[in-house]
Amino acid sequence: VENVRLLDRLSSRRAVVGTLYLTATHVIFVENGSETRKETWVLHSQISSIEKQATTATGCPLLIRCKNFQVIQLVIPQERDCHDVYISLIRLARPVKYEELYCFSFNPKLDKEEREQGWKLVDLNEEYNRMGVPNNYWQISDVNRDYGVCDSYPTEVYVPKSATAHIIVGSSKFRSRRRFPALSYYCKGNNASICRSSQPLSGFSARCLEDEQMLQAIRKANPGSDFIYVVDTRPKLNAMANRAAGKGYENEDNYSNIKFQFIGIENIHVMRNSLQKMLEVCELKSPSMSDFLWGLENSGWLKHIKAIMDAGIFIAKAVAEEGVSVLVHCSDGWDRTAQVCSVASLLLDPYYRTMKGFMVLIEKDWVSFGHKFNHRYGNLDGDPKEISPVIDQFIECVWQLMEQFPCAFEFNERFLIHIQHHIYSCQFGNFLCNSQKERRELKIKERTYSLWAHLWKNRADYLNPLYRSDHSQSQGTLYPQIAPCNFLYKFWSGMYNRFEKGLHPRQSVTDYLMAVKEETQQLEEELEVLQERLANLQKSQSGINKVKSKQQDRSKQSGLYASNNSLANTPQEYSNDLKSFPSRSPSQGDEDSALILTQDNLKSSDPDLSANSDQESGVEDLSCRSPSGGGCLPSEDSGKDSDEAVFLAG
Amino acid sequence: MEFAELIKTPQADNVMLHRQFHLAVEGTLCLTGHHLIFSSRQQNNTEELWLLHSNIDSIERRFAGSSGIIVIKCKDLRIIQLDIPGMEESTNIANSIEVLSTLDSVTLMYPFFYRPMFEVLDDGWSLFLLEQEFELLSSVTNEWRLSYVNKEFSVCPSYPPVVIVPNSIDDDALRRVALFRQGGRFPVLSYYHKKNGMVMMRSSQPLTGTNGRRCKEDEKLVNATLCSGRRGFVIDTRSLAVAQQARAKGGGFEQEVHYPQWRRIHKYIERFNILQESFIKLVEACNDQANNMDRWLSKLEASNWLTHIKELLTTACLAAQCIDREGASVLVHGSEGTDSTLQVTSLAQIILDPRCRTIRGFEALIVREWLQAGHPFQLRCAQSAYSSSKPKWEAPVFLLFLECVWQIHRQFPCSFEFNEQFLIMLFEHAYASQFGTFLGNNENERAKLKLPEKTLSLWSWVNRPEELIRFQNPLYEANSLVIWPSVAPQSLQLWEGVFLRWNRPSRFLEEAEEERVNIIRYNKELQARVNVLRRHLAELEAEGVEQEEP
């Protein structure tokens, strides 16, 4: 469709005209006119809703909301075209078969071996070994070999050594969806562990001997402690209501040596509505500070994030400080339980704060234990009531921690944002389906590629420059504060307003430091080479010419150094009074638009997955994404050279 | 008066000191005329806490058994608690602190007693002269002149002795304009935008009154800054309603009929007691230890502090936009022209002028646009957020400005030569200091107090290389562009560095800053070493070539 206008949400003045294309996998908008022909790519799987608004004189507006929080406003001149686009998108955005998803057609031109290697990057067996199991207390159990006991669990599960198959099967019958207690994290230092399960089918009075034995076995696996915590992550009221349905929670009288604890995290429906409300606040046009803060409070979003964090902190403290094992569950044990176990693991173990460790963590607590990615993130058309931003909340918890502990994480904010993007993109097979069983049936590993390998390949982009593996923050357990005035929970505009670049800091400290570090590395290399040359030169005067030419190469390389300094930007609409000002000359209007162009150029060099979800362009994207590429400006370089010249002359 | 008379118990032993995020420590408390000193000597950890009495905003006392508990709340927002054994001792100490922290006479303040432990190389009192500023200006334009009409502070008591005014307006005219503007604050040059020759002026409100008084000289002065055919904006920091009300009290605003080249924009900026209340509410929210997210957010919202930040930044951006984008000159005023006016003119310069983002330039800006321009620091900063007495003239006007600078800094972290600590330091010294810089309400008062002779300037201390190093932003790279901050609510944050400073564990953030500094320092070291080697190599090669060639 031609002559479509793409509106800028912040300013109605900044609209661009271009052509809209629909392909099997993407919506593509290509700008007219400008030399760069900036492209906006949106994967169908990212589309969360499409809204056709009332036709106006200028055309028919179409509003596309994406799962990665991009909001695209298009105005299509012809009502008929708009309707066609609308109908097609509705169909395309809601695939019914897995085979329709992008990952089955996505081909990054890797050979079979490379693909297999990619899938091997994250190996959970290796991970459990790293934790220190199997050992005297824990062993791998094969009761779920053919998913015979629990179809949403992985085949290989770690359980206490004293838990026989009989106990496990018995316990599983007493738990929702037969999700029996299994090991999530084992703390080598003091034998304390985090186990996870679903709620017991206790109703008002039911008991299960095997289940009681199972919890006993978990306690015994930690000889240093004479009780375990059982943490129910639901609000007490919800848990009590479940009893009427024959479900519920552990009765302290029936289980010996447990301490039972509720931690009120709300259910998926509350969370879905909360996000919805917060996004409405994000979409407000020029809100006042009160509108915004009030809306943020009213959405309850940060309250929920804090609840998840508090639960994680509680468990981490129990394990690290008290040396007590914890069993965590919610209802089915695949949403809140996954959130809380992974937050606690992240606080406890610095390995999970590394890039590789974070991939392992998601693979362990989310993918392998049957978090229902397909239902929660609506990859296939399904029940909208199943959709909920469960893992988004976990990712935000990590970001909030990064803000408090800036040196503790090997990866940066971009890493989190890109993972969030790909949970919805269906470009890689990792997060397909609802369980390991379904993924095996679909032969995901043979038919699709792994996100982890893709991220690992580009890991230079995702590094936190402040991270050092020998830094105190990258050792041991993190103990965040609890009260909001000690631990400031912030609105994450980098995520929820990530496509409104105008709202973000115009200069990125992370990118700047990455560029400096890159240059430092080059300098180190050059220093070595120079020292060597010098030594050689002093030994013999031969080979001078070679040295010269190579030296020039080197100095060219070190000129790569770039900064983000020269970001031109345009003023926002600070006042409406100015618009009507009569003396505004047309030439100034031109200047404005010229500036917008430069800004857009800069935007396109930003790492922007939506613009480039395609692998080929993704590779091109890399070059501008790396800190030295995008911002490299001639003026900067010349400034640099003259500095050196001065130095040399002096 | 002798301070000793006010100190009945100069010393107490076995005092416990409690602070957030610190273990309680036991030690000795000493009171001197200007300080409260707490020193603890534990096995391997000697710690001393020096607190200026003038930094104490309020104290609370109560008894627990035979010891007294004193909670001291400081103007820099810190709260400490002292447990002092003995009823009499603690009562005496509390009484002394109360009196010493509320001394009336300026000349009894610490700056008059402070003797520096360092040699003053660069006297801060004579560092920033308007004459130097004018020299720079006159190299690009000759439309302006220095006027000494206020040499004796007789034309405008709150102006400095020398100001910059249009060349075409003589001193007599200025005297007449001064009569037409509240407090004699006639329009003067605040900023000249080299890029397009547009200017920003500031003044107080014109005294038009209800019958629409006019002043030919005022009209001429205001218009003199516009080239023919050009237009200008009057940015009035009051709402139209407030400005209209002001007429009843003899004030008013520029009528467009009499200033036809000027267009008036009303942008309301909150002032005085409402600001102070907002400040108090915010600090209260920040000290609320309740573990409740809703309560925190609603208190933050109810304080309205961030709303004031947003409004102020928006107005400053608007002024900058008029100048840089619309190519128009700007006159800024509210009522007195000593508060919101200065906030706007100084913030606009931060946005427009890269020089103001350097350390020296920022200091010059503070001197020019705040101290010399007659912001009544002593009145505004007499009490901070913990004061129990009803505020009279107190208002966190300067703090609000500093926070706006911080907000811009956060959005352009590589464009400022100074760091957040520099801004926090200025906040502290505006409220309590060993230096005389922020004493007095204007240059007139400072001259009468003979501050330059009797006290040390803050700048004399800050600009020593040893101190300066703490205030430098390692990421700084000169950015010659205008920087337009975002004023959307999503882009503005609470200034944790001030408001949560004592309420958050700071170690992790300090470590991060250290890392940043180290990364940059190591890079610079390497660069230097590589350059030395390169040069060395080049020399050797040259020698080699010489040897070969003959």
Side-chain angles (χ1 to χ4, degrees):
Chain A
V1 184
E2 287 186 358
N3 289 323
V4 174
R5 279 190 304 140
L6 177 70
L7 302 184
D8 186 314
R9 216 179 56 68
L10 286 180
S11 157
S12 48
R13 280 190 296 177
R14 296 177 200 163
V16 285
V17 178
T19 308
L20 187 72
Y21 301 91
L22 295 190
T23 72
T25 54
H26 288 85
V27 181
I28 306 162
F29 178 84
V30 183
E31 275 177 32
N32 289 347
S34 72
E35 282 173 26
T36 47
R37 290 183 72 81
K38 195 189 157 226
E39 296 175 11
T40 306
W41 291 57
V42 177
L43 263 171
H44 295 327
S45 51
Q46 285 289 0
I47 295 174
S48 89
S49 78
I50 312 147
E51 207 181 296
K52 216 173 79 176
Q53 293 165 328
T55 311
T56 64
T58 48
C60 194
L62 196 65
L63 189 70
I64 304 176
R65 287 199 181 82
C66 300
K67 294 168 182 170
N68 58 6
F69 312 114
Q70 187 170 20
V71 179
I72 294 173
Q73 260 181 303
L74 298 169
V75 178
I76 298 172
Q78 294 297 319
E79 156 93 63
R80 196 170 38 84
D81 291 340
C82 181
H83 188 71
D84 290 348
V85 170
Y86 176 72
I87 295 295
S88 315
L89 282 181
I90 284 205
R91 172 67 191 87
L92 289 167
R94 286 173 200 164
V96 287
K97 284 201 315 254
Y98 282 119
E99 281 73 8
E100 292 176 47
L101 292 173
Y102 184 41
C103 57
F104 290 100
S105 56
F106 169 67
N107 184 358
K109 302 199 174 75
L110 296 175
D111 60 32
K112 188 162 167 272
E113 200 178 326
E114 282 172 306
R115 168 158 66 188
E116 282 168 7
Q117 281 302 318
W119 280 110
K120 279 182 191 148
L121 184 70
V122 171
D123 180 345
L124 285 186
N125 277 327
E126 219 170 79
E127 167 56 12
Y128 284 106
N129 291 340
R130 188 197 66 85
M131 275 188 219
V133 291
N135 60 14
N136 284 338
Y137 307 110
W138 295 91
Q139 65 181 8
I140 199 162
S141 162
D142 63 353
V143 289
N144 203 33
R145 211 171 27 238
D146 307 311
Y147 304 104
V149 175
C150 172
D151 59 3
S152 60
Y153 263 19
T155 48
E156 292 176 344
V157 189
Y158 280 84
V159 292
K161 230 173 186 169
S162 59
T164 59
H166 172 71
I167 293 179
I168 299 170
V169 173
S171 165
S172 78
K173 288 180 179 154
F174 190 62
R175 296 269 165 185
S176 275
R177 318 258 177 192
R178 311 189 63 166
R179 292 170 68 91
F180 56 87
L183 182 74
S184 163
Y185 179 72
Y186 172 75
C187 182
K188 225 186 302 186
N190 59 9
N191 294 322
S193 62
I194 303 175
C195 296
R196 57 184 291 172
S197 69
S198 60
Q199 63 186 340
L201 303 175
S202 55
F204 289 99
S205 59
R207 291 181 65 165
C208 167
L209 183 64
E210 289 86 356
D211 194 59
E212 287 161 26
Q213 287 171 332
M214 186 76 192
L215 266 63
Q216 194 76 312
I218 293 173
R219 183 184 66 74
K220 281 191 199 139
N222 179 9
S225 162
D226 49 15
F227 71 95
I228 64 168
Y229 282 110
V230 175
V231 171
D232 189 326
T233 57
R234 297 168 293 183
K236 190 171 180 184
L237 218 61
N238 300 19
M240 283 168 73
N242 262 301
R243 288 201 298 191
K247 299 165 187 172
Y249 52 91
E250 291 81 355
N251 183 339
E252 273 188 355
D253 298 337
N254 298 342
Y255 293 81
S256 48
N257 307 316
I258 67 163
K259 282 193 184 168
F260 187 83
Q261 179 89 32
F262 283 114
I263 295 183
I265 303 174
E266 297 290 347
N267 64 28
I268 56 167
H269 311 295
V270 174
M271 300 306 193
R272 179 179 57 244
N273 293 334
S274 170
L275 178 66
Q276 186 54 40
K277 279 188 190 163
M278 185 176 73
L279 293 179
E280 279 164 20
V281 176
C282 296
E283 277 189 43
L284 287 178
K285 277 190 180 148
S286 53
S288 74
M289 202 74 215
S290 296
D291 292 342
F292 178 75
L293 285 176
W294 189 84
L296 190 62
E297 182 198 339
N298 192 42
S299 77
W301 182 257
L302 288 177
K303 180 175 71 184
H304 300 315
I305 296 292
K306 178 171 156 43
I308 296 163
M309 191 82 90
D310 285 351
I313 294 170
F314 174 84
I315 293 165
K317 276 192 174 158
V319 169
E321 284 184 348
E322 298 181 57
V324 176
S325 295
V326 185
L327 171 67
V328 189
H329 68 73
C330 44
S331 299
D332 289 320
W334 51 38
D335 293 317
R336 285 169 276 198
T337 300
Q339 291 175 328
V340 168
C341 287
S342 47
V343 169
S345 299
L346 196 73
L347 292 172
L348 283 166
D349 195 333
Y351 175 66
Y352 298 126
R353 292 172 234 145
T354 65
M355 207 176 285
K356 180 82 178 295
F358 192 72
M359 299 173 181
V360 168
L361 182 66
I362 290 186
E363 200 69 34
K364 168 173 81 81
D365 280 336
W366 296 82
V367 177
S368 85
F369 272 103
H371 175 64
K372 301 199 294 173
F373 282 93
N374 176 38
H375 285 165
R376 295 291 173 263
Y377 312 115
N379 296 339
L380 294 187
D381 194 19
D383 181 359
K385 287 214 171 70
E386 282 281 335
I387 291 174
S388 186
V390 181
I391 202 167
D392 302 61
Q393 289 184 314
F394 165 64
I395 290 174
E396 174 162 345
C397 284
V398 181
W399 178 79
Q400 300 280 4
L401 283 170
M402 278 161 63
E403 287 285 292
Q404 304 292 319
F405 301 95
C407 308
F409 293 85
E410 190 191 17
F411 46 86
N412 58 28
E413 179 182 6
R414 193 178 298 151
F415 185 62
L416 297 179
I417 291 174
H418 285 193
I419 289 177
Q420 193 272 351
H421 174 90
H422 283 298
I423 282 166
Y424 290 92
S425 76
C426 301
Q427 183 175 344
F428 298 94
N430 304 59
F431 308 122
L432 241 49
C433 307
N434 290 323
S435 67
Q436 194 186 65
K437 183 168 175 248
E438 288 182 33
R439 276 187 293 275
R440 289 212 177 152
E441 282 163 4
L442 263 180
K443 297 192 176 16
I444 290 294
K445 289 194 181 180
E446 286 135 67
R447 296 166 71 192
T448 72
Y449 295 85
S450 168
L451 168 67
W452 307 131
H454 173 74
L455 293 176
W456 188 249
K457 200 175 76 196
N458 300 329
R459 61 187 173 276
D461 295 342
Y462 302 122
L463 284 173
N464 169 13
L466 301 178
Y467 178 83
R468 268 192 292 121
S469 56
D470 56 350
H471 194 280
S472 65
Q473 285 182 39
S474 46
Q475 318 285 322
T477 306
L478 297 181
Y479 294 106
Q481 297 293 316
I482 304 262
C485 69
N486 305 134
F487 184 123
L488 192 66
Y489 287 85
K490 295 177 209 159
F491 169 73
W492 189 7
S493 65
M495 175 64 90
Y496 305 106
N497 282 121
R498 62 180 272 227
F499 290 92
E500 271 109 88
K501 301 281 188 224
L503 297 179
H504 304 158
R506 305 304 168 88
Q507 297 174 321
S508 155
V509 174
T510 302
D511 288 348
Y512 180 85
L513 288 175
M514 287 310 288
V516 170
K517 278 189 120 173
E518 199 178 301
E519 194 205 35
T520 300
Q521 208 181 349
Q522 286 167 0
L523 284 170
E524 272 172 347
E525 285 163 19
E526 185 180 357
L527 197 65
E528 217 169 275
V529 173
L530 284 176
Q531 276 164 343
E532 203 179 293
R533 295 261 154 80
L534 209 57
N536 287 342
L537 200 67
Q538 277 160 345
K539 266 191 232 151
S540 73
Q541 291 286 346
S542 63
I544 289 166
N545 295 330
K546 257 191 224 163
V547 173
K548 256 190 190 166
S549 62
K550 279 194 185 165
Q551 190 202 347
Q552 275 165 357
D553 287 351
R554 282 281 157 193
S555 52
K556 256 184 221 158
Q557 275 183 28
S558 70
L560 272 174
Y561 178 51
S563 79
N564 319 298
N565 225 344
S566 43
L567 283 183
N569 58 1
T570 48
Q572 309 186 333
E573 287 170 18
Y574 299 113
S575 163
N576 295 325
D577 302 350
L578 286 180
K579 279 189 189 164
S580 52
F581 190 59
S583 76
R584 212 186 126 113
S585 65
S587 68
Q588 267 161 346
D590 289 340
E591 187 196 11
D592 264 343
S593 57
L595 264 144
I596 289 161
L597 284 181
T598 50
Q599 198 182 25
D600 280 348
N601 289 340
L602 285 161
K603 268 188 199 169
S604 63
S605 73
D606 276 346
D608 193 349
L609 279 166
S610 83
N612 268 312
S613 301
D614 183 24
Q615 175 63 19
E616 277 185 38
S617 41
V619 172
E620 288 167 12
D621 198 23
L622 233 184
S623 64
C624 15
R625 201 187 294 158
S626 81
S628 67
C632 189
L633 288 151
S635 62
E636 290 295 326
D637 283 343
S638 55
K640 196 99 200 135
D641 288 342
S642 65
D643 267 355
E644 281 175 12
V646 170
F647 187 92
L648 287 169
Chain B
M1 186 189 64
E2 287 294 321
F3 289 119
E5 291 167 17
L6 302 173
I7 307 171
K8 287 217 182 81
T9 304
Q11 187 178 335
D13 291 322
N14 304 322
V15 173
M16 293 296 287
L17 170 72
H18 303 270
R19 288 163 295 180
Q20 273 251 329
F21 299 109
H22 289 82
L23 293 173
V25 283
E26 192 181 325
T28 303
L29 181 74
C30 292
L31 288 187
T32 71
H34 293 106
H35 285 97
L36 178 156
I37 305 157
F38 179 90
S39 55
S40 70
R41 281 181 192 77
Q42 280 157 343
Q43 299 93 316
N44 42 17
N45 185 16
T46 312
E47 201 191 336
E48 278 194 3
L49 173 82
W50 288 63
L51 205 63
L52 264 178
H53 290 316
S54 57
N55 187 8
I56 295 172
D57 207 25
S58 77
I59 76 167
E60 288 160 19
R61 47 173 123 182
R62 60 176 195 270
F63 292 103
S66 63
S67 64
I69 294 172
I70 304 180
V71 177
I72 296 177
K73 299 183 172 180
C74 302
K75 290 176 184 163
D76 61 14
L77 308 182
R78 144 174 50 179
I79 297 179
I80 61 171
Q81 182 189 322
L82 297 168
D83 301 351
I84 302 166
M87 312 272 267
E88 198 191 328
E89 286 85 348
S90 63
T91 309
N92 285 343
I93 288 172
N95 288 343
S96 302
I97 294 175
E98 224 155 57
V99 177
L100 289 167
S101 61
T102 51
L103 291 176
D104 273 338
S105 169
V106 183
T107 50
L108 290 177
M109 303 290 267
Y110 187 50
F112 287 92
F113 298 83
Y114 171 70
R115 293 291 161 264
M117 306 286 282
F118 56 89
E119 198 188 341
V120 175
L121 296 173
D122 224 355
D123 186 4
W125 287 113
S126 50
L127 212 49
F128 305 103
L129 300 176
L130 201 63
E131 282 86 348
Q132 296 164 355
E133 204 62 36
F134 181 72
E135 236 169 78
L136 287 175
L137 179 69
S138 51
S139 66
V140 283
T141 171
N142 54 7
E143 287 166 17
W144 300 85
R145 69 180 184 94
L146 284 174
S147 164
Y148 293 90
V149 67
N150 198 36
K151 203 163 61 188
E152 310 295 334
F153 303 106
S154 53
V155 176
C156 172
S158 63
Y159 267 178
V162 52
V163 290
I164 302 176
V165 293
N167 222 344
S168 55
I169 307 295
D170 62 24
D171 283 358
D172 281 339
L174 290 177
R175 286 192 191 93
R176 275 193 286 275
V177 176
L179 294 174
F180 183 65
R181 294 269 172 182
Q182 183 174 357
R185 295 175 68 91
F186 52 86
V188 295
L189 181 75
S190 163
Y191 171 67
Y192 181 86
H193 197 45
K194 281 197 196 113
K195 188 173 132 190
N196 58 9
M198 294 302 123
V199 298
M200 180 159 59
M201 289 185 301
R202 54 177 158 76
S203 69
S204 59
Q205 64 178 343
L207 302 173
T208 55
T210 37
N211 48 8
R213 251 182 73 201
R214 290 179 66 175
C215 171
K216 284 264 160 53
E217 288 82 2
D218 189 75
E219 287 159 25
K220 193 177 160 208
L221 167 53
V222 171
N223 275 331
T225 59
L226 297 182
C227 332
S228 59
R230 279 290 188 176
R231 288 196 162 223
F233 289 97
V234 176
I235 295 182
D236 193 325
T237 64
R238 303 163 297 178
S239 65
L240 180 59
V242 172
Q244 278 165 344
Q245 281 162 20
R247 287 193 298 198
K249 294 182 194 153
F253 49 86
E254 292 82 359
Q255 293 280 357
E256 292 195 3
V257 266
H258 305 316
Y259 301 83
Q261 284 175 277
W262 293 80
R263 208 185 123 90
R264 227 177 43 246
I265 301 176
H266 290 275
K267 274 277 178 185
Y268 185 68
I269 294 175
E270 201 56 77
R271 55 202 79 212
F272 301 130
N273 48 349
I274 296 188
L275 272 190
Q276 183 72 6
E277 267 166 42
S278 165
F279 181 36
I280 291 170
K281 276 190 197 160
L282 175 67
V283 171
E284 199 188 289
C286 293
N287 282 321
D288 186 344
Q289 299 290 327
N291 185 16
N292 184 326
M293 199 68 197
D294 285 348
R295 186 157 139 189
W296 160 253
L297 282 174
S298 77
K299 279 189 150 186
L300 180 65
E301 195 257 318
S303 79
N304 264 329
W305 183 262
L306 287 169
T307 302
H308 303 319
I309 296 285
K310 180 169 154 62
E311 279 167 2
L312 177 53
L313 261 182
T314 308
T315 310
C317 289
L318 178 72
Q321 197 180 359
C322 290
I323 293 170
D324 188 67
R325 288 300 157 100
E326 303 294 329
S329 286
V330 169
L331 169 65
V332 185
H333 70 72
S335 324
E336 291 91 346
T338 54
D339 294 283
S340 54
T341 305
L342 305 181
Q343 289 175 323
V344 173
T345 56
S346 51
L347 280 173
Q349 291 180 56
I350 298 273
I351 294 165
L352 292 171
D353 186 358
R355 212 160 49 99
C356 293
R357 298 173 221 141
T358 65
I359 291 181
R360 273 301 165 99
F362 191 68
E363 291 172 357
L365 181 78
I366 303 264
V367 171
R368 203 171 63 234
E369 291 295 303
W370 289 87
L371 292 161
Q372 294 175 350
H375 173 67
F377 275 100
Q378 204 169 302
L379 290 176
R380 298 285 178 265
C381 301
Q383 297 281 315
S384 172
Y386 296 125
S387 160
S388 45
S389 57
K390 203 172 178 298
K392 288 195 294 274
W393 305 107
E394 290 84 1
V397 177
F398 186 60
L399 173 61
L400 204 66
F401 156 73
L402 291 176
E403 173 159 351
C404 286
V405 177
W406 176 81
Q407 300 282 0
I408 305 174
H409 195 299
R410 209 185 67 81
Q411 297 186 27
F412 294 89
C414 306
S415 299
F416 289 83
E417 195 191 2
F418 50 87
N419 60 15
E420 180 182 5
Q421 294 308 315
F422 190 66
L423 298 172
I424 297 173
M425 180 274 295
L426 288 171
F427 158 64
E428 284 178 344
H429 283 277
Y431 279 85
S433 175
Q434 65 267 46
F435 305 106
T437 299
F438 291 108
L439 292 181
N441 290 309
N442 48 51
E443 291 296 274
N444 189 4
E445 288 186 23
R446 283 180 201 108
K448 281 186 189 143
L449 288 168
K450 298 196 170 56
L451 290 180
E453 295 103 86
K454 293 192 168 167
T455 72
L456 200 67
S457 161
L458 171 66
W459 317 123
S460 305
W461 170 73
V462 168
N463 288 332
R464 301 168 68 236
E466 304 86 313
E467 302 298 333
L468 217 47
I469 197 156
R470 292 193 290 134
F471 301 124
Q472 279 160 348
N473 174 10
L475 310 177
Y476 175 62
E477 282 202 6
N479 174 359
S480 60
L481 300 171
V482 176
I483 53 177
W484 299 109
S486 159
V487 297
Q490 289 97 319
S491 312
L492 303 178
Q493 282 184 4
L494 178 70
W495 191 7
E496 290 178 64
V498 164
F499 295 106
L500 297 183
R501 181 177 177 194
W502 313 101
N503 267 340
R504 60 173 184 179
S506 53
R507 202 188 91 211
F508 308 111
L509 302 173
E510 280 161 16
E511 285 172 352
E513 182 60 22
E514 216 171 281
E515 281 298 308
R516 284 190 272 272
V517 170
N518 286 339
I519 289 169
I520 305 277
R521 187 195 295 143
Y522 180 55
N523 177 275
K524 292 207 168 126
E525 266 173 35
L526 275 184
Q527 247 167 34
R529 278 167 63 194
V530 165
N531 281 335
V532 168
L533 278 187
R534 271 192 204 155
R535 191 169 54 175
H536 197 60
L537 204 63
E539 276 167 12
L540 279 180
E541 277 169 357
E543 276 171 30
V545 173
E546 273 167 30
Q547 279 169 9
E548 270 177 24
E549 273 176 359

